[in-house]
Amino acid sequence: MSAGSARVARDPVHHPLFARCYARISVTAETRTGMAEVRRRLLGGLSGRVIEVGAGNGLNFAHYPGTVSEVVAIEPERSLRKLAVEAALRAQVPVDVAPGAAEALPVKSEAFDAAVVSLVLCSVRDVPRALAELRRVLRPGGELRFFEHGRGGGRVMTFTQRALDRTVWPPLAGGCHLSRDPVGALREAGFELGPYRRTLMPESGPRLPSSYCVTGVAWRPPADAADAGR
Ligand SMILES: C[S@@+](CC[C@H](N)C(=O)[O-])C[C@H]1O[C@@H](n2cnc3c(N)ncnc32)[C@H](O)[C@@H]1O
């Protein structure tokens, strides 16, 4: 094969158009829809080594408290990862941004005190595998903080969410799905669920298929066997 025809390895997640849009919309949403406050509350009280999966353009980084010793931020999308690297330079805690996918985290088992996912479980290809990986990399008793959107509303809304998931939404929105059940998926993956709160995003105004959010904490069981989730 000549050098000119050599194939360039494709990223596990490749949504350049979505990435460009998300980089803009997400920054506006920080103030307009109160996302900055959601992020601050999501990350408050964390400490030790943290892994953030699907870090996007790094908007969580500014909200990690000083008790966090290090954040390893995994982001598979090239252009979002570049923005995350820039955000990491501005963060008050050390943040190391790395490529990788939730379904095969490029880190050792039981290496983290806490893990964070925000608006990511809607987009991963394989939710059970991603959650098994999160469980693997957390130490037993380690916590997972989550902020996700999913199934919600009445019958008409859930019908609409499912219809959009089968048609235009995932290709338009970077692989995102509207009708997933993050809390149910966490339970099925063997996490112990702590308190969680269902909210609307945005809090006021029209309810969109992506408005039904849940924020909370779940734990890898303290007595979890070393090889759990594999
Ligand atoms: C809606 S954005 C959220 C970004 C960021 N977590 C935030 O709170 O703003 C979804 C993110 O999930 C990432 N993602 C999609 N599939 C993924 C996968 N399989 N593993 C890890 N991240 C993934 C996308 O690249 C994107 O950064």
Side-chain angles (χ1 to χ4, degrees):
M1 193 186 284
S2 74
S5 66
R7 287 223 194 131
V8 176
R10 217 179 128 123
D11 294 324
V13 171
H14 183 70
H15 296 295
L17 189 59
F18 166 78
R20 219 174 306 148
C21 295
Y22 188 75
R24 280 205 199 150
I25 293 167
S26 59
V27 171
T28 312
E30 288 297 283
T31 46
R32 287 238 181 117
T33 65
M35 270 303 293
E37 182 54 22
V38 170
R39 294 180 192 282
R40 195 187 62 75
R41 270 188 265 138
L42 175 71
L43 306 174
L46 281 176
S47 60
R49 292 194 79 212
V50 177
I51 181 165
E52 179 176 337
V53 176
N57 43 341
L59 289 177
N60 280 333
F61 299 168
H63 302 281
Y64 282 102
T67 39
V68 166
S69 56
E70 183 196 359
V71 178
V72 173
I74 306 295
E75 173 50 49
E77 220 292 331
R78 194 173 287 233
S79 55
L80 288 174
R81 190 167 64 244
K82 229 171 124 189
L83 295 170
V85 168
E86 289 166 20
L89 296 174
R90 299 188 296 269
Q92 282 165 20
V93 299
V95 181
D96 187 11
V97 179
E103 293 87 345
L105 292 173
V107 293
K108 286 188 184 149
S109 299
E110 305 193 354
F112 295 92
D113 300 296
V116 172
V117 281
S118 62
L119 305 174
V120 169
L121 295 178
C122 55
S123 298
V124 300
R125 284 206 187 95
D126 186 335
V127 177
R129 215 167 130 187
L131 290 178
E133 275 292 271
L134 281 162
R135 192 169 150 194
R136 174 182 71 79
V137 304
L138 277 172
R139 63 166 168 77
E143 62 177 309
L144 171 65
R145 300 277 181 99
F146 58 93
F147 169 67
E148 294 291 333
H149 70 86
R151 194 185 306 161
R155 281 174 58 190
V156 173
M157 181 55 85
T158 49
F159 176 84
T160 307
Q161 289 176 324
R162 277 200 290 265
L164 286 168
D165 276 358
R166 281 194 297 263
T167 53
V168 294
W169 192 255
L172 283 179
C176 173
H177 295 76
L178 297 160
S179 62
R180 287 184 176 170
D181 170 16
V183 169
L186 282 163
R187 260 199 208 101
E188 275 167 34
F191 280 91
E192 279 177 5
L193 263 148
Y196 61 88
R197 206 162 74 95
R198 298 206 181 264
T199 51
L200 288 169
M201 208 70 207
E203 277 171 8
S204 53
R207 294 186 180 184
L208 308 171
S210 58
S211 288
Y212 300 87
C213 295
V214 60
T215 315
V217 56
W219 286 275
R220 176 175 172 176
D224 211 359
D227 61 351
R230 271 181 232 151

mmCIF file of all heavy atoms in Angstrom, residues 13 25 169:
data_model
loop_
_atom_site.group_PDB
_atom_site.id
_atom_site.type_symbol
_atom_site.label_atom_id
_atom_site.label_comp_id
_atom_site.label_asym_id
_atom_site.label_seq_id
_atom_site.Cartn_x
_atom_site.Cartn_y
_atom_site.Cartn_z
ATOM 1 N N VAL A 13 -15.476 7.425 18.119
ATOM 2 C CA VAL A 13 -16.650 8.303 18.011
ATOM 3 C C VAL A 13 -16.277 9.416 17.039
ATOM 4 O O VAL A 13 -15.277 10.102 17.233
ATOM 5 C CB VAL A 13 -17.028 8.888 19.393
ATOM 6 C CG1 VAL A 13 -18.097 9.959 19.254
ATOM 7 C CG2 VAL A 13 -17.508 7.777 20.318
ATOM 8 N N ILE A 25 -23.285 25.392 21.618
ATOM 9 C CA ILE A 25 -24.548 25.394 22.384
ATOM 10 C C ILE A 25 -24.277 25.175 23.873
ATOM 11 O O ILE A 25 -24.880 25.805 24.730
ATOM 12 C CB ILE A 25 -25.492 24.296 21.838
ATOM 13 C CG1 ILE A 25 -25.921 24.655 20.422
ATOM 14 C CG2 ILE A 25 -26.708 24.098 22.723
ATOM 15 C CD1 ILE A 25 -26.580 23.510 19.668
ATOM 16 N N TRP A 169 -33.013 11.271 15.429
ATOM 17 C CA TRP A 169 -32.278 11.884 16.529
ATOM 18 C C TRP A 169 -30.819 11.410 16.653
ATOM 19 O O TRP A 169 -29.905 12.248 16.647
ATOM 20 C CB TRP A 169 -33.041 11.714 17.847
ATOM 21 C CG TRP A 169 -32.459 12.564 18.935
ATOM 22 C CD1 TRP A 169 -31.699 12.143 19.984
ATOM 23 C CD2 TRP A 169 -32.562 13.988 19.058
ATOM 24 N NE1 TRP A 169 -31.324 13.201 20.765
ATOM 25 C CE2 TRP A 169 -31.845 14.355 20.208
ATOM 26 C CE3 TRP A 169 -33.191 14.981 18.298
ATOM 27 C CZ2 TRP A 169 -31.729 15.667 20.638
ATOM 28 C CZ3 TRP A 169 -33.073 16.293 18.719
ATOM 29 C CH2 TRP A 169 -32.347 16.619 19.878
#
